[in-house]
Amino acid sequence: MKTYFDLLGQIAPLDRCHCGPEMEKAYNFLTEHYEGSRKLFYPCNEKIHHWIIPPYWECTKATLKDSRGNLIADKNRNNLEVYSYSPSFNGEVTLEELDNHIISDPERPDSILFHFRNQYRHWEPKWGFCIPDKVRKKLKNETYSIEIDSSFDFSKEMIQSDYLHPGEKKDEFLFMGHFDHPSMVNDGLSGCLAAFEIIHRLKGRKTKYSYRAFASVEVIGSVAYLLKEEKIAKNLKEALFLGFVGI
């Protein structure tokens, strides 16, 4: 029988951006594992207060190569190596131009950072790559080849999921985490699975209050959820955000 650790192993490597094919796949894994949980669908490009539900982003290829064809960054190797929600770009650039489209951290020279700004500025996305700082420092003053094949689709829907344990009262306590960090576990995914495990382990138990787990798309997902699921929002008494539960 598959455990929540097995589920974590399935979901962790996926490109869980705000809205995209592998995010959809991840929610399918989640809801198939936790019987009784459900998927929620909200239309892309809908304005909610000061927020806009982002488009469906699909990136089939993202590579950065030097003049000799050596691979410097590749999305197929690690989803974090390309900016999330990067637009398409195909061409050659100088090192000076490339420098404006790369992020790294000198204090963590071996680490690949997560560039997520495009997800919150999807109307003006910037292409780019995330590479270890020690790799960046070795880049030479030459021409670099970029191939990013991606698309944005406003006709689809953003997906989320929740999971209810009904109690004697309709008053609810919510456990939630952020589900949308690609190729990461501790920032988001571990909290979501902990929340869903709580509800799963309450099955068959009588409780005074109702309890709900929510696997959210960061910020915009919570905003949409509170507006769209008005009856749930009215019953919520408290919410606990589960972050970094792996630590």
Side-chain angles (χ1 to χ4, degrees), residues 79-244:
N79 288 310
L80 297 177
E81 292 190 34
V82 66
Y83 289 5
S84 190
Y85 272 65
S86 173
S88 289
F89 183 87
N90 286 272
E92 295 186 343
V93 297
T94 64
L95 178 60
E96 185 179 5
E97 291 172 305
L98 179 63
D99 200 49
N100 293 318
H101 294 270
I102 288 178
I103 63 166
S104 64
D105 185 357
E107 294 185 7
R108 291 174 290 175
D110 296 312
S111 298
I112 299 171
L113 305 183
F114 175 35
H115 185 285
F116 56 85
R117 187 181 185 276
N118 287 336
Q119 294 188 142
Y120 297 99
R121 295 288 187 277
H122 51 80
W123 49 88
E124 51 177 13
K126 181 179 181 180
W127 67 266
F129 296 93
C130 307
I131 62 175
D133 196 66
K134 67 180 183 181
V135 174
R136 185 177 191 174
K137 285 178 178 176
K138 293 179 181 178
L139 296 179
K140 297 177 180 179
N141 189 16
E142 58 184 5
T143 300
Y144 293 86
S145 299
I146 290 103
E147 189 175 355
I148 302 174
D149 297 327
S150 64
S151 61
F152 297 91
D153 188 345
F154 288 94
S155 69
K156 299 201 174 188
E157 295 174 304
M158 180 181 75
I159 305 174
Q160 301 193 104
S161 178
D162 68 359
Y163 189 21
L164 174 67
H165 168 78
E168 294 173 6
K169 301 183 72 171
K170 290 184 178 179
D171 293 344
E172 287 189 19
F173 291 85
L174 182 73
F175 302 99
M176 67 167 292
H178 290 151
F179 200 62
D180 59 304
H181 294 92
S183 298
M184 287 181 272
V185 171
N186 212 23
D187 187 2
L189 179 58
S190 63
C192 292
L193 295 193
F196 275 62
E197 271 295 305
I198 290 170
I199 304 306
H200 174 67
R201 296 183 190 197
L202 285 173
K203 274 191 175 182
R205 294 180 60 177
K206 290 185 178 180
T207 59
K208 179 178 179 180
Y209 295 102
S210 297
Y211 298 91
R212 190 183 297 267
F214 177 39
S216 170
V217 173
E218 188 169 353
V219 184
I220 179 59
S222 299
V223 172
Y225 188 71
L226 290 173
L227 180 73
K228 300 284 189 177
E229 313 302 325
E230 189 176 357
K231 290 182 180 179
I232 294 173
K234 286 181 178 178
N235 290 333
L236 289 179
K237 297 305 173 187
E238 285 189 18
L240 179 65
F241 179 76
L242 302 176
F244 301 100

Side-chain angles (χ1 to χ4, degrees), residues 25-42:
K25 187 176 181 180
Y27 275 119
N28 287 340
F29 283 143
L30 182 71
T31 53
E32 286 166 8
H33 183 80
Y34 291 105
E35 185 180 352
S37 63
R38 62 173 184 160
K39 286 182 287 187
L40 304 159
F41 301 90
Y42 307 130

